[in-house]
Every structure is written in C-alpha cells, then in structure tokens.
Amino acid sequence: EAGVAQSPRYKIIEKRQSVAFWCNPISGHATLYWYQQILGQGPKLLIQFQNNGVVDDSQLPKDRFSAERLKGVDSTLKIQPAKLEDSAVYLCASSTGQGYGYTFGSGTRLTVV
Amino acid sequence: KQEVTQIPAALSVPEGENLVLNCSFTDSAIYNLQWFRQDPGKGLTSLLLIQSSQREQTSGRLNASLDKSSGRSTLYIAASQPGDSATYLCAVWNSGNTPLVFGKGTRLSVIA
C-alpha cells in the first residue's frame, strides 16, 4: 500500500512571499488532515477534511493560510504572505476515520527568512 | 478540551537499558491512543495503536499499555539500542471523526 505523499520536502522562502504544499493521501482514505509542527512541539491541527468538505478549520490562520481538497483526493495548503513564525514542518495525514489510526507523510520543512 | 502531557521531555540512557515513557491525557473518553516515532527532520511513523477496549499492544521490543480510567499510557522499550534514538509522540483520538491530539513528545537518546 502506498503511503501518504507530500511535496516538496524542503522549502526556504523570504517573509511576505507565498508558498504551497501538496499532499496525496492513501487511496480510499476519506479523512485528510494538515498539521503544523514547530520545533520542539507536538503537531497541531490546522485543518481536517472529510472527502472534499471541511470538518474543522478552527485553528487555521485564515488571514494567511488556505487549503483545499479537490475531488476528495489530493490537497494543497497555501500560505500567503508568509511570516517568520510560520517556519515549521507541515505534516499531512490521512485515515479511514474509523478508529484504525492515522498515516502521516514525510512532511514539508518550511523555513521563512 | 483534551490535553496530552508526556514525561519526561528528554531522556538519555545507556544501550541495553529497559525504559518507560509516560503519557497522560485529561479526557478519559478516548476512542484510541497511538504512539509515534519521529526521527529528526522526518515525518511520523506509527508504532502502536491501542483501541479503547484494549489494555495493551506489543510489537517486537515495544509494549504500550493503556489505562483509560486514570488517563495514562506507557510505552515500554526493552533492551534499548542506539537506533531507538528519536522523539516519541503520544496522541489520543476522542471519536472516529475528530483529530488526533498530540503531546510534545519525549526525546530519547540511547548511548552506545
């Protein structure tokens, strides 16, 4: 079974620039999550999708972050404009939503300078 | 609001020691609990998943226990090896459609 694919693996941008991350979940997983992990912290949920609908985006900074999941499969997360404090690892995960656990991708490490 | 705490934050042990990592959570009405391993700069690798009806799960040298009533889980690593050096994260799931809530992790160093 293929895992959760994410790209790019690394990204360095200047503050006020924009950036986009891509995620392809495990086939058949209806639920997709984006997490932000700041160095030394546990991952924090940004947004949760069920198929192509948003279930929870209460912690997404909507003035600069946006996310979409087209056709209930791939997802993109965008930051515009980026701030220094957005430097983190952005993790995508998927699950069947039926208590069988999450599978995470390798993450995208973003550095904002 | 569910909160997850992991103790200790960091741990350094000599190779061959058995060790225990602790995880506690404030809301005992969890659906399941999952332990992950994270190597520096990498994503999360699932180690063990314990359903709410289970008391423990084992995989090789790893054993995880769950006590829902007291809001605690432990991850036991037997005969530690330098390759076990990583950050170990505990996360809980309150229902089938809610997100995982993570602790801050325990950073483990096993010294050869």
Side-chain angles (χ1 to χ4, degrees):
Chain A
E1 174 183 78
V4 175
Q6 287 189 248
S7 67
R9 285 285 287 122
Y10 306 94
K11 192 74 176 179
I12 301 174
I13 62 172
E14 295 182 350
K15 60 183 179 184
R16 292 188 288 275
Q17 286 187 325
S18 63
V19 64
F21 313 127
W22 174 82
C23 173
N24 180 247
I26 290 176
S27 177
H29 280 195
T31 310
L32 184 147
Y33 312 82
W34 283 101
Y35 280 83
Q36 179 193 56
Q37 186 179 23
I38 293 172
L39 187 65
Q41 302 288 316
K44 181 189 80 170
L45 179 75
L46 291 175
I47 190 167
Q48 175 185 349
F49 292 95
Q50 179 77 17
N51 295 310
N52 59 350
V54 175
V55 174
D56 183 352
D57 64 356
S58 58
Q59 298 189 76
L60 187 74
K62 299 181 186 64
D63 58 334
R64 298 184 300 106
F65 286 64
S66 64
E68 61 180 4
R69 188 180 185 194
L70 298 176
K71 301 180 181 179
V73 183
D74 292 8
S75 177
T76 56
L77 176 69
K78 297 179 182 178
I79 307 175
Q80 182 178 11
K83 293 185 175 181
L84 297 177
E85 58 261 37
D86 298 332
S87 294
V89 176
Y90 291 84
L91 296 161
C92 178
S94 69
S95 78
T96 61
Q98 295 174 2
Y100 292 110
Y102 283 40
T103 301
F104 279 81
S106 299
T108 296
R109 177 174 293 279
L110 173 68
T111 303
V112 182
V113 297
Chain B
K1 176 185 172 185
Q2 179 72 271
E3 293 183 0
V4 179
T5 302
Q6 291 188 246
I7 295 173
L11 182 63
S12 183
V13 300
E15 181 178 7
E17 272 204 6
N18 302 325
L19 57 99
V20 174
L21 308 182
N22 296 293
C23 171
S24 62
F25 43 94
T26 54
D27 182 352
S28 62
I30 64 169
Y31 196 74
N32 63 33
L33 182 146
Q34 198 164 358
W35 283 93
F36 294 89
R37 169 183 172 139
Q38 186 174 33
D39 293 289
K42 301 292 180 64
L44 277 62
T45 301
S46 180
L47 297 174
L48 291 164
L49 171 69
I50 310 177
Q51 304 269 4
S52 60
S53 58
Q54 299 172 322
R55 299 277 301 179
E56 64 178 340
Q57 282 286 334
T58 298
S59 176
R61 294 181 294 106
L62 305 179
N63 175 275
S65 67
L66 173 63
D67 184 343
K68 276 185 58 178
S69 60
S70 67
R72 295 183 183 185
S73 176
T74 60
L75 179 66
Y76 176 83
I77 303 176
S80 59
Q81 304 171 357
D84 295 331
S85 298
T87 296
Y88 291 81
L89 292 156
C90 169
V92 299
W93 198 349
N94 276 83
S95 73
N97 207 31
T98 59
L100 277 178
V101 177
F102 284 85
K104 293 183 177 182
T106 294
R107 189 172 69 253
L108 173 65
S109 296
V110 181
I111 311 301

